[in-house]
Amino acid sequence: MKKVLCVDWGNVLIEFDGGQVGRLLKRGRKEILLRDFVKKHDADLISAFDFYEGLKAGGHFRKEIQWTEFAYAYYQCLSDINWTMFYALKDLKKTGRARLVAITDNNHFSFNLTTLLFPLAVDLFIENGREQIISSHQNDVRALKRSFTPFVRAYDLFGFSPDEAAFVDDKKYNLEAAVTSGFDRDACFLYKLGSRRNHAQFEKFLDKHFPAKS
C-alpha cells in the first residue's frame, strides 16, 4: 500500500498542445526545437523571451514573428485541465487515500500560466497550507526528471521515500528515471491523454496501490 502519488502535469493533469508554437516554425524544425531550446527552457537555463530570440536568430520561424505573437501561441498551448484526471485525483485526496505531490518538467513561463489559468488543478497539491510541487525550473532544481534531481528533491523536501510512493507520467523515459531513483517499477504508470481505456487502467492502478479505507 502506497502513501504518496507523484503526478506529472503536462498531458497528464494539464492538456498541453505544443503544436500552437510548432505552427509558427518552418517545416522540419521540431527536432531543433526540442534539442536546442525546450530542454534548456524547462530547466530554466533560458527564459521564454530567450527561447523566442533564439528561434528568431536561428531563422526557424516561417515568417516574421513578433514576441507578442509568440507569447500568445505559447499561451494557447495550455488547452485545459484534463478533467477526468482532475476528478480522479480530487477523489483520491478527499478520501484520504493518498497525498499528492507534483513532479513536473515545467519552465517558469508555463508554470506561471498554469497557475493563472488552472488554479483548481494547482490547488490539488496544497497540503496543510504548503505547496507540494517540484518543478524543473525551480532554483534548487534547475534540471529535468531524467537527471533524477527533481525526484531526490521531492523525497527530501516533502518527507517520503520512493518505496512508499507511486508515479504517473506521459513519458516512458521519465518513468525509467523514477525507477532508477527508487520507485517500484509496478508503481509507475504511463498515462495516455485522451484514451478512455488507459484511464480505466489508471483507476485500477490507483485501486491497487491506494485501496479504499474500510
Side-chain angles (χ1 to χ4, degrees):
M1 182 175 175
K2 304 297 184 181
K3 298 179 181 179
V4 177
L5 177 64
C6 298
V7 183
D8 177 44
W9 278 5
N11 287 331
V12 175
L13 179 58
I14 305 297
E15 296 179 8
F16 187 90
D17 177 15
Q20 299 293 337
V21 168
R23 280 187 272 277
L24 302 178
L25 305 178
K26 294 176 181 176
R27 288 186 179 181
R29 304 302 170 100
K30 183 178 179 180
E31 291 304 315
I32 293 173
L33 180 76
L34 294 172
R35 184 191 70 217
D36 296 344
F37 297 99
V38 172
K39 293 178 183 178
K40 292 179 181 178
H41 185 36
D42 283 345
D44 205 38
L45 301 179
I46 58 174
S47 69
F49 190 74
D50 291 335
F51 187 4
Y52 159 75
E53 287 281 327
L55 290 172
K56 185 177 180 179
H60 300 305
F61 289 124
R62 58 179 172 79
K63 64 174 185 176
E64 185 70 21
I65 299 293
Q66 301 301 318
W67 160 247
T68 51
E69 187 176 356
F70 177 81
Y72 183 66
Y74 202 146
Y75 162 83
Q76 289 182 305
C77 289
L78 291 149
S79 307
D80 200 358
I81 295 173
N82 174 14
W83 291 103
T84 306
M85 174 61 78
F86 173 84
Y87 287 115
L89 297 180
K90 184 177 180 180
D91 180 71
L92 194 72
K93 180 178 180 179
K94 183 178 180 180
T95 56
R97 293 162 60 194
R99 176 158 59 102
L100 301 180
V101 171
I103 303 181
T104 178
D105 288 344
N106 204 321
N107 60 74
H108 198 269
F109 189 79
S110 182
F111 181 87
N112 286 345
L113 284 177
T114 301
T115 302
L116 290 169
L117 292 170
F118 313 122
L120 284 177
V122 178
D123 284 350
L124 286 173
F125 303 96
I126 296 177
E127 192 79 24
N128 297 321
R130 183 188 182 196
E131 290 80 7
Q132 311 280 299
I133 300 171
I134 294 293
S135 177
S136 58
H137 79 273
Q138 292 168 337
N139 288 335
D140 53 357
V141 180
R142 302 193 73 178
L144 304 182
K145 280 176 277 193
R146 279 172 285 188
S147 73
F148 317 133
T149 302
F151 295 110
V152 174
R153 183 65 181 144
Y155 308 151
D156 292 341
L157 190 60
F158 303 132
F160 68 93
S161 62
D163 60 358
E164 61 182 355
F167 180 55
V168 53
D169 197 287
D170 68 318
K171 298 290 191 300
K172 188 174 182 180
Y173 53 75
N174 285 335
L175 298 184
E176 291 300 325
V179 171
T180 302
S181 72
F183 281 83
D184 296 329
R185 185 171 293 276
D186 76 337
C188 293
F189 189 89
L190 182 63
Y191 195 77
K192 298 178 182 179
L193 183 68
S195 170
R196 292 183 179 181
R197 182 173 182 272
N198 178 263
H199 188 83
Q201 292 172 334
F202 176 67
E203 295 276 6
K204 292 180 180 178
F205 172 85
L206 294 181
D207 289 339
K208 174 184 177 181
H209 294 291
F210 305 96
K213 297 180 180 179
S214 57

